[in-house]
């Protein structure tokens, strides 16, 4: 259900919020965002407005500006407790004041307090932040402006900022204007969105500059997602940004900051074989909120239903010989098996039946106990453990969960999937980054399966070891890392690192940096060469992103308790860079107003589900078998169009197609990768079982081979656009076909040999 946003009147009417406007500048893979809220106190008494809103956990909030009438107030970063005291003193004395603070528990929740706004007074608040754009499975760059902050479930004895406000039903009473300016080294191919956009306007002939906006009148009642497609999305690069003028060298803001982007190639030598090792544990959120639709449109698929379909696909995609288990959690948790079991036909069938009956029926969202249970079980030798976590992210104790995952990263990799609007980016990103895995977000009506399959591909790839950065620069230049060390690499997954360069001058000296790693005992090197002269850009975007990385790393060390001075350094860096942290806050006071605001102060809370103020952000090369006669016969059948492997009328579909035939087809696959020749398979192919059997080019013992090849061909012909979803299913199938034909050929040779003897 949609909930009302903005201040509330004494009659609980949502009226004061006048407009929300967002300006986004995208430079390559970095987005700089300025969001402005304008509202008015229409009550007869002064008000204190409290806004609780979501924010990308990786964003660096660096600007907070308020305007009351003709007075502009630039907020400053202070230590949090001091900022709160200054704010309380200001509103108690009738002054107008603003306080912006990050949640102590979750870095993706912020609270804005606007105090002592007089009756009839208008005010606007502008928040600026910068963030990296996440790369999607189809290589798009994703920018998201969340409209929803889900109330976080708070276990007994804990507190949560999102519980301060209670949801209010109603329609969103305002519209959102958003404009995005894009600047990129490679040309912009397209921009897609889940919301209506104006036509993409190119600002340069080479299409490296473009502009796009939301269509006028957009109602901000759902997350706004924009996907940017570049012609060359995987470009390794180094960008150097000069320090701030007038700031002393040796400090972060006074020195040059370098941003390095790598795209390592991690491929197995035996890529044609399906891996048979690994322990896969799927941890599925079954709290009551998983029954909600994927977005605010009530007709959309529920989150738990989408999770069920995805789990079924994963179960069919696992390799024989691995181990697996499935956990469901809510206020309590349960597992399908007491311990992880070997992946066989019997265990797969048992798990599939249990997945089909999974419901969102376990109450709250307490993810910590099942994680503790999983981590308490010993890992299996030669089977590295991989966690796949599916959740809508409504967790209150986010940082405690992340700490637990991080403490077991040496033995468990963690891949996370935030399901539906409002999923906590702090939880989803934090668990994946802390657990040396990869995060994914699934919102709106998009299918979860392609993103899950990308993560499965990452999990099955060989592990890169001994990862190190090696610099080749002049001796007088020293390098200080701002990002934590790289501890995991995935094939063609972007790696961004930030460094502070001290002793850097404006000369045209050159340098280079190399990313070194070892895969399957083979050394690799990715090298980037660059000019040491920094760009003449006073935006300081890279400095702020680098500062945010360093602050988050220091906050993690504080929670781990192994660095007593880390908090002090985090506060110092936050104040120096002007970038928010969990230990600091933005404070602004209107000191020009000498007349105190009169009347009793009314407090007004935003709904817990609210708008984002600032985030207001070769078809068959596998058929190269030795059995040439089989392949020849199959090709002849294809030419005769005896089976529907295209969408033309010649396919002669005689049976009504299932609602989701791909899911049905995959559901029929056996654990070893094969299909049995049966009527349910024939129906998906558009035939009767007798027709399929009659057309088989082999003997009866080849019926499963025939059925398996037809199933894979159907996937290639009908679902080519969904290849990312069924690639492991098809690979396992063709591995089984090759092995079966080879064994059959050997047995026939032996039979002939003994008969002739």
């Amino acid at each position: 259900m949609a909930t009302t946003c903005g201040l509330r009147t004494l009659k609980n009417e949502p009226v004061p919020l006048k407009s929300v406007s967002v300006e986004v500048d995208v430079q390559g893979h970095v987005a700089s965002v300025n969001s402005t809220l304008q509202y008015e106190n229409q009550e007869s008494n002064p008000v204190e407005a409290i806004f609780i809103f979501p924010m990308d956990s990786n964003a660096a909030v660096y600007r907070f500006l308020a305007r009351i009438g003709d007075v502009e107030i630039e907020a400053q970063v202070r230590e949090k407790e001091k900022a709160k005291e200054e704010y309380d003193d200001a509103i108690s004395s009738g002054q107008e004041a603003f306080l912006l603070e990050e949640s102590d528990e979750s870095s993706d929740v912020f609270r804005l307090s606007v105090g002592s706004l007089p009756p009839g007074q208008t005010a606007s608040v502008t928040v600026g932040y910068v963030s990296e754009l996440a790369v999607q499975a189809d290589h798009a760059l994703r920018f998201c402006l969340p409209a929803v902050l889900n109330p976080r479930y708070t276990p007994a004895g804990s507190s949560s900022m999102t519980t301060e406000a209670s949801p209010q039903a109603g329609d969103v009473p305002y519209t959102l204007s958003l404009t995005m300016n894009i600047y990129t080294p490679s040309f912009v191919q397209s921009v897609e969105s889940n919301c209506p956009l104006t036509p993409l306007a190119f600002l340069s002939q080479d299409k490296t500059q473009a502009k796009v906006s939301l269509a006028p009148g957009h109602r901000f009642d759902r997350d706004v997602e924009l996907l940017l497609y570049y012609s060359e999305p995987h470009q390794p690069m180094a960008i150097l940004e000069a320090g701030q003028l007038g700031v002393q060298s040796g400090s972060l803001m006074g020195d040059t900051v370098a941003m390095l982007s790598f795209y390592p190639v991690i491929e197995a030598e035996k890529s044609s074989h399906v891996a048979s090792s690994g322990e896969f544990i799927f941890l599925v959120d079954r709290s009551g909120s998983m029954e909600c639709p994927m977005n605010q449109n009530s007709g959309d698929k529920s989150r738990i239903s989408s999770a069920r379909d995805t789990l079924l696909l994963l179960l069919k995609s696992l390799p024989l010989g691995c181990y697996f288990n499935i956990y469901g959690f809510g206020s309590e948790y349960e597992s399908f098996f007491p311990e992880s079991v070997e992946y066989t036909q019997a265990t797969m069938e048992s798990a599939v039946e249990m997945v089909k009956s999974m419901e969102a029926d376990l109450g709250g969202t307490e993810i910590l106990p099942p994680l503790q249970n999983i981590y308490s079980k010993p890992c299996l030798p030669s089977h590295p453990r991989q966690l796949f976590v599916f959740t809508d992210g409504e967790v209150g104790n986010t940082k405690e969960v992340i700490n637990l995952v991080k403490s077991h990263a040496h033995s468990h990799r963690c891949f996370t999937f935030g399901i539906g609007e409002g999923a906590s980016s702090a939880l989803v990103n934090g668990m994946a980054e802390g657990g040396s895995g990869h995060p994914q977000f699934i919102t709106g009506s998009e299918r979860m399966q392609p993103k899950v399959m990308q993560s499965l591909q990452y999990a099955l790839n060989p592990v890169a070891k001994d990862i190190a950065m090696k610099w080749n620069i002049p001796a007088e230049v020293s390098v200080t890392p701002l990002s934590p060390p790289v501890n995991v690499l995935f094939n063609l997954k972007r790696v961004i690192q930030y460094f502070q360069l001290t002793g850097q001058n404006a000369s045209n000296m050159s340098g280079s940096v190399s990313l070194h790693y070892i895969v399957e005992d083979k050394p690799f090197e990715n090298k980037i060469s660059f000019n040491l002269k920094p760009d003449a850009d006073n935006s300081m975007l890279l400095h702020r992103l680098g500062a945010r990385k360093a602050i988050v790393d220091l906050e993690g060390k504080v929670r781990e308790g192994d660095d007593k001075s880390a908090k002090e350094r985090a506060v110092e860096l936050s104040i120096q860079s002007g970038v928010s942290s969990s230990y600091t806050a933005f404070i602004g006071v209107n000191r020009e107003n000498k007349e105190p605001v009169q009347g009793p102060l009314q407090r007004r809370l935003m709904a817990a589900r609210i708008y984002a103020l600032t985030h207001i952000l070769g078809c068959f090369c596998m058929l190269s078998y030795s059995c040439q006669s089989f392949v020849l016969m199959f090709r002849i059948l294809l030419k005769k169009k005896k089976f529907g492997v295209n969408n033309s009328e010649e396919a002669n579909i005689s049976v009504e197609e299932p609602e989701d035939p791909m899911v049905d087809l995959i559901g029929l696959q056996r654990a070893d990768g094969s299909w049995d020749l049966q009527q349910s398979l024939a129906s998906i192919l558009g035939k009767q079982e007798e027709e399929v059997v009659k057309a088989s080019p082999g003997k009866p013992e080849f019926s499963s081979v025939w059925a398996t090849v037809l199933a894979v061909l159907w996937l290639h012909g009908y679902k080519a656009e969904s290849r990312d979803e069924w690639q492991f299913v098809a690979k396992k199938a063709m591995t089984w076909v090759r092995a079966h034909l080879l064994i059959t050929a050997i047995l026939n040779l032996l039979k002939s040999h003994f008969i002739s003897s």
Side-chain angles (χ1 to χ4, degrees):
M1 175 173 11
T3 55
T4 307
C5 310
L7 294 171
R8 315 293 300 182
T9 68
L10 291 175
K11 295 181 180 180
N12 204 29
E13 297 174 348
V15 294
L17 185 60
K18 309 303 288 186
S19 65
V20 179
S21 61
V22 181
E23 291 286 336
V24 185
D25 286 332
V26 175
Q27 299 182 26
H29 289 203
V30 175
S32 176
V33 184
N34 279 288
S35 305
T36 300
L37 232 82
Q38 189 166 11
Y39 54 90
E40 178 182 0
N41 178 15
Q42 297 178 346
E43 298 194 34
S44 58
N45 291 306
V47 298
E48 179 187 17
I50 306 296
F51 297 85
I52 311 295
F53 60 88
M55 169 67 68
D56 183 346
S57 62
N58 291 323
V61 179
Y62 66 88
R63 184 170 183 249
F64 179 36
L65 184 71
R67 180 180 290 275
I68 300 177
D70 296 329
V71 179
E72 188 172 271
I73 305 166
E74 183 82 37
Q76 303 297 316
V77 177
R78 300 280 189 269
E79 193 275 327
K80 183 176 285 188
E81 293 307 314
K82 293 180 180 178
K84 287 182 176 180
E85 290 177 7
E86 186 175 348
Y87 174 80
D88 290 340
D89 289 343
I91 63 171
S92 63
S93 61
Q95 289 182 297
E96 296 155 332
F98 300 81
L99 180 72
L100 179 66
E101 56 182 310
E102 178 183 320
S103 166
D104 292 331
E105 185 48 48
S106 185
S107 59
D108 65 342
V109 179
F110 275 68
R111 168 182 166 134
L112 169 63
S113 303
V114 182
S116 294
L117 189 64
Q121 181 66 274
T122 59
S124 66
V125 174
T126 299
V127 179
Y129 70 91
V130 58
S131 66
E132 299 167 2
L133 299 181
V135 181
Q136 303 301 286
D138 62 355
H139 310 304
L141 298 179
R142 178 178 181 262
F143 173 82
C144 183
L145 205 63
V148 177
L149 171 61
N150 295 329
R152 307 294 163 82
Y153 174 79
T154 307
S158 303
S159 60
S160 171
M161 186 180 284
T162 64
T163 61
E164 295 183 25
S166 57
Q168 303 289 338
D171 295 327
V172 176
Y174 57 89
T175 58
L176 165 73
S177 64
L178 181 147
T179 299
M180 175 179 283
N181 300 294
I182 307 168
Y183 310 89
T184 172
S186 58
F187 70 80
V188 181
Q189 289 183 323
S190 64
V191 177
E192 299 178 2
S193 177
N194 62 332
C195 302
L197 298 175
T198 60
L200 182 65
F202 291 103
L203 308 180
S204 62
Q205 290 187 344
D206 60 2
K207 296 185 177 181
T208 60
Q209 299 180 31
K211 181 177 181 179
V212 70
S213 301
L214 283 179
H218 175 75
R219 293 174 63 82
F220 198 17
D221 56 356
R222 53 182 157 160
D223 288 357
V224 176
E225 183 180 68
L226 280 79
L227 299 176
L228 283 62
Y229 292 87
Y230 295 164
S231 60
E232 298 179 24
H234 298 314
Q235 284 190 325
M237 65 180 68
I239 303 176
L240 274 65
E241 183 178 76
Q244 207 165 22
L245 291 176
V247 179
Q248 183 180 3
S249 177
S251 66
L252 172 61
M253 303 307 287
D255 285 340
T256 295
V257 166
M259 181 182 79
L260 307 177
S261 299
F262 292 95
Y263 291 89
V265 178
I266 311 291
E267 293 182 346
E269 288 287 335
K270 302 176 182 179
S271 58
S272 61
H273 299 285
V274 178
S276 59
S277 64
E279 180 187 6
F280 298 88
I281 297 182
F282 306 107
L283 182 57
V284 184
D285 190 341
R286 288 176 53 187
S287 62
S289 57
M290 286 289 287
E291 194 61 51
C292 297
M294 290 292 289
N295 64 23
Q296 296 302 306
N297 297 322
S298 58
D300 282 355
K301 199 172 190 177
S302 71
R303 300 169 188 175
I304 192 66
S305 176
S306 184
R308 278 197 302 264
D309 287 350
T310 303
L311 270 178
L312 292 172
L313 178 62
L314 278 168
L315 285 172
K316 297 293 182 175
S317 302
L318 293 179
L320 280 174
C322 74
Y323 286 75
F324 78 101
N325 203 351
I326 300 175
Y327 282 71
F329 72 92
S331 299
E332 55 188 30
Y333 67 89
E334 58 187 32
S335 61
F336 282 12
F337 308 103
E339 307 286 343
S340 292
V341 296
E342 185 176 357
Y343 181 74
T344 64
Q345 180 65 24
T347 58
M348 183 203 71
E349 288 180 350
S350 175
V352 165
E353 290 306 311
M354 286 187 280
V355 166
K356 289 179 179 178
S357 64
M358 280 177 50
E359 298 293 343
D361 54 2
L362 292 183
T365 314
E366 296 196 34
I367 193 173
L368 203 61
L371 282 173
Q372 291 168 333
N373 179 267
I374 291 168
Y375 290 138
S376 70
K377 297 180 182 298
C379 294
L380 300 171
S382 303
H383 288 277
R385 184 174 288 173
Q386 320 262 12
L387 285 176
F388 282 67
V389 180
F390 300 85
T391 179
D392 59 11
E394 299 183 14
V395 174
N397 53 346
T398 300
K399 292 183 180 179
E400 188 178 1
V401 171
I402 293 171
N403 288 345
L404 180 65
V405 172
K406 191 173 181 180
S407 67
H408 290 84
H410 62 283
S411 57
H412 299 67
R413 282 204 294 185
C414 185
F415 298 87
T416 54
F417 306 90
I419 304 174
E421 292 182 328
S424 168
S425 63
L427 181 75
V428 175
N429 287 327
M431 290 181 69
E433 292 167 4
S436 300
H438 179 66
Q440 302 272 20
F441 289 89
I442 301 97
T443 59
S445 58
E446 67 178 323
R447 292 177 67 87
M448 189 189 305
Q449 288 85 345
K451 294 186 176 183
V452 174
M453 288 299 104
Q454 182 190 45
S455 292
L456 181 60
Q457 179 74 65
Y458 288 155
L460 292 173
N461 275 350
V463 176
K465 301 178 180 179
D466 299 332
I467 305 169
M469 294 277 191
K470 297 184 180 180
W471 290 78
N472 179 21
I473 55 176
E476 61 268 24
V477 179
S478 62
V479 178
T480 302
L482 298 173
S483 310
V486 181
N487 59 8
V488 63
L489 296 175
F490 297 113
N491 186 45
L492 287 181
K493 180 179 181 293
R494 181 185 64 188
V495 175
I496 294 183
Q497 290 281 285
Y498 296 88
F499 296 89
Q500 177 182 345
L501 306 183
T502 306
Q504 167 66 22
N505 56 40
S507 65
N508 285 315
M509 294 184 296
S510 61
S512 65
V513 62
S514 300
L515 177 66
H516 293 257
Y517 50 96
I518 296 175
V519 179
E520 296 182 332
D521 299 324
K522 183 179 179 181
F524 288 87
E525 176 186 4
N526 298 148
K527 183 177 180 181
I528 299 176
S529 298
F530 52 87
N531 191 300
L532 280 167
K533 184 177 181 179
D535 292 342
D537 183 0
N538 61 1
S539 66
M540 307 305 288
L541 298 183
L542 301 190
H543 282 73
R544 287 161 180 146
L545 282 170
R548 179 63 181 172
K549 294 289 185 182
I551 289 168
V552 171
D553 189 42
L554 288 168
E555 290 174 340
K557 292 178 179 178
V558 174
R559 293 194 299 271
E560 293 165 8
D562 59 357
D563 190 335
K564 294 182 179 179
S565 64
K567 181 175 180 179
E568 183 180 331
R569 298 205 310 275
V571 171
E572 180 183 359
L573 184 56
S574 176
I575 293 174
Q576 179 194 142
S577 64
V579 172
S580 66
S581 77
S582 59
Y583 309 129
T584 55
F586 285 90
I587 175 67
V589 178
N590 182 9
R591 304 189 187 280
E592 295 189 19
N593 184 9
K594 306 302 181 181
E595 296 292 331
V597 178
Q598 302 296 320
L601 185 63
Q602 305 290 332
R603 171 169 285 197
R604 296 291 177 259
L605 299 179
M606 287 292 295
R609 288 179 181 262
I610 62 175
Y611 62 89
L613 168 66
T614 61
H615 189 78
I616 1 184
L617 288 217
C619 181
F620 276 94
C621 294
M622 293 182 291
L623 289 175
S624 56
Y625 315 124
S626 56
C627 302
Q628 296 181 1
S629 60
F630 179 86
V631 177
L632 179 61
M633 179 64 75
F634 190 76
R635 287 174 177 168
I636 292 173
L637 286 168
L638 283 181
K639 289 180 180 179
K640 291 181 178 180
K641 298 284 195 299
K642 294 191 86 171
F643 288 93
V645 292
N646 57 47
N647 290 314
S648 68
E649 292 181 1
E650 298 180 32
N652 189 30
I653 302 299
S654 58
V655 180
E656 185 177 352
E657 191 173 59
E659 183 178 347
D660 192 345
M662 185 179 76
V663 173
D664 290 348
L665 181 81
I666 293 173
L668 296 173
Q669 189 184 34
R670 295 174 57 82
D672 59 10
S674 66
W675 274 268
D676 291 331
L677 193 53
Q678 54 184 295
Q679 181 56 51
S680 51
L681 173 64
S683 297
I684 295 172
L685 299 175
K687 294 291 180 180
Q688 295 297 322
E689 183 178 357
E690 295 78 12
E691 297 178 88
V692 181
V693 172
K694 185 177 180 181
S696 174
K699 298 177 180 179
E701 60 265 28
F702 279 97
S703 64
S704 289
V705 175
W706 176 237
T708 301
V709 173
L710 287 176
V712 175
L713 269 178
W714 186 91
L715 290 172
H716 278 273
Y718 273 108
K719 296 294 180 180
E721 75 284 357
S722 302
R723 184 185 181 91
D724 289 342
E725 301 183 33
W726 50 256
Q727 58 176 315
F728 294 108
V729 165
K731 182 183 290 187
K732 187 162 64 169
M734 300 320 297
T735 298
W736 178 86
V737 168
R738 280 194 292 268
H740 187 84
L741 291 175
L742 180 60
I743 291 170
T744 302
I746 292 173
L747 289 175
N748 287 336
L749 285 173
L750 290 173
K751 183 178 179 181
S752 300
H753 173 75
F754 285 114
I755 290 175
S756 61
S757 299

